């Protein structure tokens, strides 16, 4: 079958989607869940990541070059502006500051547009959310509301989770914070260069040394955005299959059901309901097991689990490992909790086992716990 796109389509994304739909007829895709990316999806996601990260890094390099080269070329234009205040004249780099803000504004908008295009490509080629999460719009609203709660420290967070729930302006704030972090890192580098090189530190060297810093921060921020997009493709079907399997085995067990939310609270999944995968896992468990969310949790999960039968403990262990890996990353709190469970002989999975399972999941090979 030909993979050439039709002539009456509207653009490269339409061409890409049509190629995917045509190749899907001839490409094997696992029918058993958890969700596994097929070769076409894996290849396109990999190419999208490489292209987006490369362009984001180049934007960081170009931003530094465009900031300093005009200052070297036309120094008279960027002279400090004298401002007299109460008889004292202060020389303020107003033109340089305004020029810098203009460059930051342009760079952030280019980064947002570039990453939104990358996210759209990943979701379109994987048919997300149409084939994965029928209530995606409602979930986005719930996640955005959770991210703005004071208990979650509002919108000013370091991770990507809250920002992708409010697509454009949330992502704009995320990249503004990213530029701030890059600028602070650059200041530290400049201080160290001047401290150790002293008068031998040329201005051009200290100024242009920030190019790899801005490139690295831009690439890392873009990686976070695209990685979260890939997780959102994989998580819904993976969670649905895992919870259904868990329910078939333990749906009527009164020793297992009361410990589900206790387990999620212990590894801090309930505290991060602005995280798409964690929110979806909690909602699916509550709905499938008909759990009561208005009951106050004891916070003594380990003690309660110690009195449960071995087979119940093993299923709770699977639930915990699945829950901390399904969002595609291990937080510091999750690592601490897993270390504590291992020290109390509750966890049979080693640290290397969990790392390997997580790496396979992030490569699109499914989350097999």
């Amino acid at each position: 079958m030909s993979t050439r796109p039709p002539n009456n389509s509207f653009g490269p994304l339409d061409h890409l989607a049509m190629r995917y739909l045509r190749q899907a007829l001839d490409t094997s895709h696992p029918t058993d869940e958890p969700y596994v990316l097929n070769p076409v999806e894996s290849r396109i996601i990999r190419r999208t990541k490489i292209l987006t990260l490369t362009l984001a890094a180049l934007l960081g390099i170009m931003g530094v070059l465009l900031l300093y080269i005009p200052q070297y070329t036309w120094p008279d234009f960027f002279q400090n502006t004298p401002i007299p205040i109460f008889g004292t004249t202060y020389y303020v780099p107003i033109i340089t500051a305004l020029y810098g803000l203009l460059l930051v504004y342009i760079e952030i908008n280019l980064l947002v547009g570039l990453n939104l295009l990358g996210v759209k490509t990943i979701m379109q080629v994987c048919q997300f959310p149409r084939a994965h999460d029928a209530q995606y719009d409602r979930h986005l609203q719930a996640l955005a509301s959770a991210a703005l709660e004071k208990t979650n420290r509002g919108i000013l967070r370091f991770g990507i989770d809250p920002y992708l729930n409010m697509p454009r302006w949330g992502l704009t704030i995320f990249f503004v914070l990213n530029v701030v972090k890059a600028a602070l890192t650059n200041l530290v580098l400049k201080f160290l260069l001047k401290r150790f090189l002293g008068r031998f530190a040329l201005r051009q060297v200290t100024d242009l040394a920030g190019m790899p810093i801005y490139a690295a921060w831009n690439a890392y921020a873009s990686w976070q955005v695209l990685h979260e997009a890939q997780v959102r493709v994989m998580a819904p079907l993976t969670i649905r299959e895992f919870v259904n399997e868990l329910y078939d085995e333990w749906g009527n067990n009164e020793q297992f059901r009361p410990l589900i939310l206790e387990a999620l609270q212990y590894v801090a999944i309930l505290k991060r309901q602005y995280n798409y995968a964690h929110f979806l896992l909690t909602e699916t468990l509550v709905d499938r097991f008909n759990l009561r969310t208005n009951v106050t949790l004891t916070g003594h999960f380990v003690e309660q689990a110690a009195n449960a039968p071995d087979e119940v403990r093993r299923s709770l262990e699977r639930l915990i490992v699945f829950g901390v890996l399904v969002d595609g990353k291990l937080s510091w709190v999750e690592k601490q909790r897993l270390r504590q469970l291992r020290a109390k002989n509750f966890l049979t999975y080693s640290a290397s086992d969990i790392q390997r399972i997580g790496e396979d999941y992030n490569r699109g090979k499914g989350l097999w716990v």
Side-chain angles (χ1 to χ4, degrees), residues 6 36 69 81 95 107 116 156 171 173 228 277 307 309 331 340:
V36 178
I69 288 181
T81 303
I95 296 177
E107 180 178 350
L116 285 177
L156 294 178
L171 212 55
I173 296 176
E228 176 65 14
N307 299 323
S331 68
Q340 293 170 8

Side-chain angles (χ1 to χ4, degrees), residues 264-334:
L264 298 183
Q265 183 192 49
Y266 184 79
V267 290
I269 289 176
L270 293 183
K271 293 181 180 180
R272 293 192 297 276
Q273 291 300 289
Y274 47 80
N275 178 298
Y276 176 77
H278 286 170
F279 175 82
L280 210 59
L281 175 62
T282 304
E283 183 183 65
T284 307
L285 285 167
V286 169
D287 179 68
R288 196 74 176 91
F289 284 86
N290 195 25
L291 302 176
R292 296 172 59 190
T293 56
N294 57 351
V295 177
T296 303
L297 301 177
T298 64
H300 302 291
F301 166 72
V302 178
E303 293 79 0
Q304 291 176 293
N307 299 323
D310 287 342
E311 58 272 17
V312 172
R313 293 178 62 188
R314 296 288 71 82
S315 291
L316 288 170
E317 178 188 17
R318 288 183 62 212
L319 173 61
I320 288 175
V321 173
F322 181 91
V324 299
L325 293 178
V326 74
D327 67 332
K329 53 186 176 291
L330 272 174
S331 68
W332 182 85
V333 173
E334 290 170 341

